[in-house]
Amino acid sequence: MKGPRVLVVDDQKDFARGVALVLGEVTTSIEVANSVEEAVDLLEGQTFDLVLSDVKMPGRDGLSLLDHVHERWPRLRVVLFTAYGTIEAAVAAIKRGAYDYLTKPFDDAELLVIVRRAYKEILDEDEIERLRAELAETRSFHGIYGRDRRMLQVMDSIRRIAPSAAPVVVWGESGTGKELVARAIHAESPRARAPLLAFNAAALPDTLAEAELFGARKGAYTGADKDRKGLFADASGGTLFIDELPSMPQSLQGKLLRALQEGEVLPLGSSTPVRVDVRIVAATNVEPARLLREGRLRKDLYYRLSVMRVTLPPLRERIEDIGLLANLFLERAAGGGTKPPTRISPRALRLLVSHDWPGNVRELQNVIERAAVMCRGEEIGPADIVLEDDDLEWEPEDEDDLAYEEAKRKVLERFQRRFVERAMAETGGNLAAAARRAGITRAALHRIVKRLGMETDE
Ligand SMILES: Nc1ncnc2c1ncn2[C@@H]1O[C@H](COP(=O)(O)OP(=O)(O)OP(=O)(O)O)[C@@H](O)[C@H]1O
Ligand SMILES: [Mg+2]
């Protein structure tokens, strides 16, 4: 890998050369321009990933270059150098959609951190684009449907973590698809030919749960009328899906930790440990940080399990997937009936999109199946859609014990999301018009939209 293609723009030739020299550490592809005009010429002639530009230059300045770049190459990231003490300039730069800024004088490390971060994002974006193209053909990734950016990122990370045998924690609200993710990890992994078995402690009394997981000798507990191998042994060479991790009793958590540490299990009533080779994928519908705080999950176990993590976004944050999934479930529901509906009306769809979906994809599936049965015509209308009452209130019990900064970030993110969604809805998805309405530049809005993982028509 030769690194990102960078263009450095500064009228001070020595300074520009100095920056280029430092960048030699991360990339072999560097061009230097000493004016905006020169920069634009270079940009027209070849492809870049990143522009680093001074703001203050004779003639056209860095901000005008920023605007020009965003008009013509919206994906290109621009980092601006601002003079020391002009915090307003830095703020203005970010507002106008700059990727980041560096206050002159800056040291090499600061520069490299920003360039490395940008490069990583660029590579991730390329990967996501490839996945998007693949999905256009296969429709789903091992049964996971979705075009939402964050879902594509989930699929991408499943691909990345599948080859390893390290444990994975999957976190997502109920019905977001955690089990599907576990199955996809297994299917993508070298263990795909061995079994994937699921365990749910919530469904069993403690002793039975232990026997189910680790096995038991005949007579080890009341009702143990024969030897049991247990899921660890049965899933040997494969994957064990531990559903509802928080519902595991503490004692069992301790035993699971030991099994992970030692690579062997001790069946109930036996004194001979059995070696096991199983990959663990554990699911939780409560945020791990909260589980730890409330003592429902042993810290040592969590750190052992969460070598890799997958976080599933709630359905209400994947607006564009709602339509896609609704149509998928309609297609599936249409299998049985005599003259099933084949479409969802725009008004019904709007209802679906504005619902909060506390039960996420599973809830959507139920709503559509029911609508398909109730519907008399070919098209599902608003009257066929029966939704649980939306809880319009803020859910303080969820947020009030978060750290202040995190709570603030969440509130802000939610605000931005709603704000952007409304601006986009009011302008029919036109980014430029929505930006004007919101009083920010198109590029800045584009950044926000991207950071929130929202999709636009552009
Ligand atoms: N992205 C998706 N594409 C297609 N179907 C999905 C998707 N996500 C979830 N589903 C479907 O929604 C239902 C719920 O998914 P799943 O059981 O994986 O959720 P979960 O997160 O394990 O839920 P819970 O926390 O209640 O156990 C399943 O029928 C699943 O097939
Ligand atoms: Mg589940």
Side-chain angles (χ1 to χ4, degrees), residues 175 177-179 241 243-244 283 362:
K178 294 183 291 296
E179 183 155 355
F241 174 54
D243 206 358
E244 301 193 37
R362 181 179 298 107

Side-chain angles (χ1 to χ4, degrees), residues 286-303:
V286 181
E287 185 179 13
R290 184 181 187 141
L291 290 174
L292 296 178
R293 218 171 29 238
E294 293 175 357
R296 290 155 72 188
L297 181 62
R298 288 177 58 138
K299 283 204 173 64
D300 44 10
L301 175 61
Y302 177 68
Y303 293 124

Side-chain angles (χ1 to χ4, degrees), residues 190-212:
R191 299 171 169 263
R193 287 158 154 266
L196 170 111
L197 299 178
F199 170 79
N200 188 335
L204 299 164
D206 293 7
T207 318
L208 273 185
E210 185 177 344
E212 169 101 347

Side-chain angles (χ1 to χ4, degrees), residues 143-145 174-180 285 325 329 361-362 365:
I144 304 174
Y145 286 74
S174 109
T176 45
K178 294 183 291 296
E179 183 155 355
L180 273 186
N285 52 21
L325 288 167
F329 297 138
V361 184
R362 181 179 298 107
Q365 188 169 7

Side-chain angles (χ1 to χ4, degrees), residues 37-38 430:
E37 287 74 17
E38 230 179 278
N430 182 321

